[in-house]
């Protein structure tokens, strides 16, 4: 008898799909029928869902099982594991949480748990972690994100809001209808538009770019690589040194002022602080006018090009967009502030197809025409401790308890962390300077993780609880960047003895006597229904129809129509700034911020300025480390998720991540195509395989993120994880964002036999049934 094939609607951050199941196994993921450009990452899922790398049963690190919270943290990452039963595992976690709360207070539990988790909003592991820890007395949380965390804390000072980085920018209909020149700082790599946080029904970016081009929009891509030019855009590529866009933008503004063609009226009526910024640009303040010639020496773009681009952008309807990567760099506040200032001087802010925007190809759905209606959402409750650190500063926190730090005008002190609880993130993916993190990671007494796979994070935790994938539970997903909301039907029984994060927390909450506070009396399907109904009620309150839950669940998705009018960012503010002020102190765009001036931060002055990053090609350190390392998002996966899947593995070369290097830089180092290379600096070293790329500006190398961390000691990482090389420093005291894109390195051919990568093999586990993996 042949097994019946069944189909279930589901959703991932890389798109909606139908799970095809045969004999209890996922055999394929068929893209959602309305997706115009489905992501290839779907191909990785069947093998990964049933991978031998799945965490099979609860497992405890041997040293921790023996010595509990007194065990030696140095053994994390080296020790073997012992499987135990669920009851025993939950009892261990529960008693450890109680001990830490009683002896050290709830602040001593680090529950920030940063990470993307899954697209389903109910079972979103990070949200569930916060709900659980908050209900039990609180924890130390993390504020902001790695993605656009610098912008999140800068932009409210400048434009009163950070919604332009959540995707709410002048939409593609307005662009196709009105923009004549679109300048993309950081380019528009379509690879990144595979992803939407919360999932999506369509991937329209490539189509929108082609449509805009057909409508006559001229594209200019400013980037260290021609690889950031999207196909179909016919964009002109202007190569630039990494981390120097601020100088280019300031010089464009200076050129406008020098020619007397800046939009003086807009600067006077809609901005404050223009005079102070102008003095800086014209050199009144420091005797150094920020001319195109000045900028050329910094960013290596010809002065004539800068002048000509400024004039063209002033004379025609222009839109500036900055990739999020620009602000994920040391002093990453400056390019974003400079971009807003330049757009103000160009005078098209608030006009159809004009002004500034962020992240058009940083994520799917940016500029997607969509009504401003709620998406499905799950709350995480209030943290009773109120303790939170800036997201990317957690290595500092672990290393420097009690130390004071500055963040957005406030001084705080790092808490003394005894226990770390993580679900749905991989700090050994996302954090900079992983050798430093390894040292910090030894300090907490206990580390608990829920994981699906034996990731580098799981391998460095004391208690590992196996979590289900999305396919093993019912959920609801969607994003405010996309016009669809999706039902996610359970397609598989839990693999191994894995459990839903929600159920793990429910049982732990029951042990602690606060199950009701955690669940609010709802089980899985009651929550799915509740999330849907809350969203649908909001739609109906705002005059939009929404089907009843049963109909939605049966049909498996619901759609919001395109808005009748294109959205133009700051349209109302432009029309009447008195009646529609921004939420800045002045109600206007702040080219000079009194508030920031009051903080007195030398690393974030009160107006946009060129501040040399700690590491860039103009730094004195470049004599020793002559290449600027970019760490772009990986094309074949989401961060480190499913690194062992087909779409990811196909892009590795000889099992290692590929380092792009220019022909000139390869030749001068005797490096040939597909040679194994060592990429190194004072912080660490990794192996990678050279991919010679004529589209890269010489002096720049690019190693995508996501290879599972595989250190053979501090000296050498084997898999090509660039975060052993990146700098772990806040962008500035204002926003404390991640400086991932500011790192200098050297590259050398690796002559020895290259040690095998082990990260995608199982660690040593003593099985519950007596066997050994
Ligand atoms: N050098 C450098 N570093 C960077 C960046 C960069 O540009 N350069 N970018 C940064 C950015 S923008 C980001 S957003 C971060 C991303 O960093 P992370 O979000 O931490 O990376 P992911 O690999 O997505 O980690 C998610 C983890 O959650 C697990 N997971 C998925 N679903 C579930 C679930 O349902 N339950 C449980 N328990 N676990 C689940 C996955 O297996 C995976 O291990 O990386 C940052 N790091
Ligand atoms: N396939 C895939 N897509 C993803 C993700 C993924 O993991 N995989 N992650 C998602 C997430 S969480 C996020 S936050 C976004 C991030 O979106 P981004 O931050 O925009 O992504 P990056 O790939 O880091 O950078 C985009 C491009 O910026 C260029 N660039 C870097 N530094 C500079 C600079 O100083 N100046 C200029 N002009 N250009 C520069 C690089 O060449 C790079 O290709 O991507 C999302 N999309
Ligand atoms: Mo991100």
């Amino acid at each position: 008898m042949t097994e019946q094939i069944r189909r279930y609607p589901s959703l991932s951050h890389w798109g909606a799909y139908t799970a095809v199941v045969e004999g209890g196994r996922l055999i394929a993921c068929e893209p959602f029928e309305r997706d115009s450009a489905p992501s290839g990452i779907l191909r990785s899922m069947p093998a990964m869902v049933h991978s031998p790398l799945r965490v099979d049963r609860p497992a405890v690190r041997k040293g921790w099982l023996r010595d509990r919270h007194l065990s030696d943290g140095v053994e994390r990452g080296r020790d073997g594991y012992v499987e135990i039963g669920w009851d025993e595992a939950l009892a261990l976690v529960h008693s450890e949480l109680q001990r830490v709360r009683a002896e050290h207070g709830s602040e001593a539990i680090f529950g920030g748990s940063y990470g993307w988790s899954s697209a389903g909003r109910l079972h979103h592991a990070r949200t569930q972690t916060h709900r659980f820890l908050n209900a039990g007395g609180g924890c130390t949380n993390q504020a902001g994100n790695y993605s656009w965390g610098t912008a999140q804390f800068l932009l409210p000072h400048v434009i009163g809001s950070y919604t332009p980085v959540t995707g709410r920018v002048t939409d593609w209909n307005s662009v196709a209808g009105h923009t004549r020149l679109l300048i993309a700082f950081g380019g528009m790599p379509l690879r990144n538009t595979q992803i939407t946080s919360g999932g999506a029904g369509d991937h329209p970016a490539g189509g929108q770019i082609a449509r805009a081009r057909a409508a006559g929009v001229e594209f200019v891509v400013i980037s260290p690589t021609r690889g950031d030019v999207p196909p179909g855009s016919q964009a002109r590529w202007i190569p630039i040194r990494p981390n120097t866009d601020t100088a280019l933008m300031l010089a464009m503004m200076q050129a406008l002022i020098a020619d007397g063609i800046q939009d003086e009226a807009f600067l006077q009526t809609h901005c404050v602080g223009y005079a102070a910024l102008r003095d800086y640009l014209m050199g009144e303040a420091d005797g150094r006018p920020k001319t195109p010639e000045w900028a050329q020496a910094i960013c290596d773009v010809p002065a004539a090009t800068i002048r000509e681009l400024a004039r063209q952008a002033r004379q025609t309807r222009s839109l500036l967009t900055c990739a999020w990567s620009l602000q994920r760099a040391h002093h990453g506040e400056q390019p974003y502030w400079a971009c807003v200032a330049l757009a103000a001087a160009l005078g098209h802010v608030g006009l159809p197809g004009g002004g500034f925007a962020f992240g058009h190809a940083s994520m799917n759905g940016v500029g997607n025409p969509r009504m401003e209606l709620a998406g499905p959402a799950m709350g995480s409750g209030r943290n009773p401790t109120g303790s939170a650190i800036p997201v990317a500063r957690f290595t500092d926190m672990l290393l420097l308890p009690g130390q004071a730090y500055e963040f957005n005008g406030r001084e705080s002190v790092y808490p003394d962390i005894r226990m770390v609880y993580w679900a749905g993130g991989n700090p050994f993916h996302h954090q900079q300077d992983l050798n430093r993190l390894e040292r910090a990671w030894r300090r907490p007494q206990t580390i608990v993780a829920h994981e699906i796979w034996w990731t580098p994070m799981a391998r460095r935790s004391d208690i590992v609880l196996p979590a289900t994938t999305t396919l093993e539970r019912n959920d609801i997903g969607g994003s405010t960047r996309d016009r669809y909301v999706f039902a996610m039907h359970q397609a598989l029984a839990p693999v191994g003895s894995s459990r839903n994060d929600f159920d793990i927390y429910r049982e732990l909450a029951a042990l602690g006597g606060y199950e009701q506070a955690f669940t609010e009396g709802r089980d899985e399907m009651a929550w799915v229904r509740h999330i849907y109904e809350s969203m649908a009620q909001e739609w109906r309150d705002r005059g939009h129809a929404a089907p009843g839950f049963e109909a939605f669940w049966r049909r498996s998705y619901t759609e919001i129509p395109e808005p009748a009018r294109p959205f133009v960012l700051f349209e109302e503010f432009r029309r009447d700034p008195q009646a529609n002020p921004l939420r800045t102190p002045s109600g206007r765009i702040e080219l000079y911020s009194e508030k920031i001036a009051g903080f007195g931060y030398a690393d974030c002055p009160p107006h946009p300025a060129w501040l040399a990053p700690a590491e860039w090609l103009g730094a004195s350190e470049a004599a020793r480390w002559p290449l600027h390392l970019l760490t772009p998002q990986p094309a074949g996966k989401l961060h480190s998720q499913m690194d062992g899947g087909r779409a990811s593995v196909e892009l590795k070369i000889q099992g290692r991540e590929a380092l792009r290097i220019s022909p000139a830089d390869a030749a001068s180092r005797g490096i040939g195509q597909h040679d194994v290379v060592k990429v190194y600096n004072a912080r660490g070293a990794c192996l990678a395989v050279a991919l010679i790329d004529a589209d890269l500006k010489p002096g720049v190398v690019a190693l995508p993120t996501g290879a599972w961390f595989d250190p053979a000691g501090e000296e050498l990482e084997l898999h090509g994880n660039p975060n052993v090389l990146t700098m772990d420093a806040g962008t500035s005291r204002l926003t404390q964002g991640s400086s991932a894109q500011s790192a200098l390195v050297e590259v050398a051919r690796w002559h020895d036999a290259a040690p095998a990568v082990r990260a995608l093999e199982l660690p040593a586990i003593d099985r519950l049934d007596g066997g050994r993996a």
Side-chain angles (χ1 to χ4, degrees), residues 114-118 123-125 146-148 328 422-427 429-432 450-453 455 457 465 467-470 473 501 631-633 638-641 705 722-723 726 738 740-741:
Y114 182 81
W116 265 56
S117 312
S118 62
H123 289 292
H124 187 255
Y146 285 76
S147 312
W148 35 262
R328 209 176 305 113
W422 222 297
N426 179 0
H429 163 74
H430 63 238
Q431 182 63 330
Q432 285 57 70
H450 302 186
E451 248 300 347
I452 302 170
W453 294 281
T455 62
M457 164 69 186
L465 303 179
T468 52
T469 67
T470 297
R473 56 209 190 197
D501 299 288
T631 55
Q633 308 293 321
L638 170 62
H639 314 133
S640 67
Q641 294 197 38
T705 61
N723 273 330
T726 49
S738 161
Q741 304 299 338

Side-chain angles (χ1 to χ4, degrees), residues 505-522:
Y505 288 133
R506 187 176 47 73
E507 292 191 39
L508 285 169
L511 291 177
Y514 52 93
E515 183 179 0
Q516 174 64 25
F518 173 70
T519 64
E520 297 178 40
R522 294 188 190 95

Side-chain angles (χ1 to χ4, degrees), residues 61 642 726:
R61 186 172 67 76
M642 297 198 291
T726 49

Side-chain angles (χ1 to χ4, degrees), residues 168 368-375 479-483 560 563:
R168 192 98 180 123
N368 200 14
R370 183 192 186 277
M371 284 178 179
E372 214 189 343
L373 291 175
S479 151
T480 53
R481 304 171 202 271
D482 183 67
R483 293 194 293 109
I560 310 172

Side-chain angles (χ1 to χ4, degrees), residues 62-74:
K62 285 184 173 171
W64 195 91
L65 197 57
R66 193 178 53 238
D67 302 327
R68 304 292 156 105
H69 64 276
L70 303 175
S71 81
D72 188 352
V74 170

